[in-house]
Amino acid sequence: MKAEMEQRHGVNVYVKSTDTADKNQVGEFGKFVLGLNRPIDVLVNNAGNFMPGATMEEPDGALENMIAGNVYSAYHLTRALIDGIKKNRSGHIFNMCSIASIKAYPNGGSYAISKFALLGFTKVLREEMKEFNIRVTAVMPGATKTQSWNGVDLPDSRFMKTEDVAEVIFNAYSISDRSVVEEVIIRPQLGDI
């Protein structure tokens, strides 16, 4: 992917393999990013994982794993990078929440709990960053055709394309810095799965 992006777009791409559920690795990733000595205009917290299950039946540790991957990853990376973003007095932070952030559903289990928590973190961060002219947006996509859905016997037409979600994020970023899209809800045209 690095080589393809560099070749296709003529830009330098920097990569570092990181387990974002591991606080120490997230800290090292933050140091890596800061070591590039470049302004951070946009931060997209999109790491996370999904495991279906009913809260009272899922394996022990499911909640801790979902919180680590879906909430702590965004929390710790944002903390690692925020001083530079605040110093620039501009920037945009996108937290990839989910429809599960606002709508509980059967078998959503700890995933839904973690996404509710991520939305809460996003709302608090939005309030705290206003004075620094940093925009914060919660993106809440419904079923999007990603690896999370591998093995599901549904036609592609029931899923949103990843490019659609990316375009919504870009459009929210592109408006003037006098405005902010605080929350984006995007669903498949035929509704939730």
Side-chain angles (χ1 to χ4, degrees), residues 51-73:
M51 179 174 44
T55 55
M56 298 297 111
E57 298 169 10
E58 60 194 5
D60 188 40
L63 178 62
E64 291 83 354
N65 290 335
M66 290 293 108
I67 294 291
N70 295 332
V71 182
Y72 289 162
S73 58

Side-chain angles (χ1 to χ4, degrees), residues 31-192:
K31 289 177 187 172
F32 169 77
V33 171
L34 294 172
L36 297 173
N37 292 317
R38 295 169 180 257
I40 300 168
D41 299 319
V42 178
L43 171 60
V44 180
N45 286 310
N46 189 34
N49 51 20
F50 168 75
M51 179 174 44
T55 55
M56 298 297 111
E57 298 169 10
E58 60 194 5
D60 188 40
L63 178 62
E64 291 83 354
N65 290 335
M66 290 293 108
I67 294 291
N70 295 332
V71 182
Y72 289 162
S73 58
Y75 174 82
H76 292 303
L77 184 58
T78 302
R79 285 176 56 97
L81 302 177
I82 200 65
D83 287 344
I85 300 171
K86 285 166 59 174
K87 182 180 174 187
N88 292 337
R89 298 198 59 80
S90 70
H92 203 141
I93 300 170
F94 291 92
N95 286 337
M96 294 304 295
C97 297
S98 168
I99 288 298
S101 298
I102 59 170
K103 179 183 177 189
Y105 58 91
N107 249 8
S110 291
Y111 174 78
I113 294 169
S114 72
K115 290 299 186 171
F116 267 85
L118 183 59
L119 179 59
F121 168 58
T122 306
K123 289 180 179 220
V124 170
L125 191 62
R126 163 74 177 125
E127 294 304 314
E128 293 176 350
M129 293 300 112
K130 283 179 183 178
E131 68 180 282
F132 300 100
N133 200 38
I134 298 168
R135 299 182 290 171
V136 179
T137 301
V139 181
M140 293 173 274
T144 307
K145 190 63 175 176
T146 65
Q147 291 180 346
S148 295
W149 292 95
N150 284 354
V152 173
D153 189 25
L154 290 170
D156 284 355
S157 62
R158 284 300 285 125
F159 297 92
M160 295 183 301
K161 297 191 308 187
T162 55
E163 295 87 352
D164 291 342
V165 177
E167 190 168 333
V168 166
I169 291 170
F170 181 76
N171 287 334
Y173 170 74
S174 297
I175 65 174
S176 81
D177 62 3
R178 293 173 39 179
S179 303
V180 63
V181 176
E182 291 183 343
E183 296 180 352
V184 173
I185 297 173
I186 178 172
R187 287 182 156 116
Q189 174 60 27
L190 296 176
D192 294 329

Side-chain angles (χ1 to χ4, degrees), residues 12-24:
N12 293 325
V13 176
Y14 304 93
V15 296
K16 179 172 177 43
S17 178
T18 304
D19 178 353
T20 57
D22 182 318
K23 180 180 177 180
N24 292 327

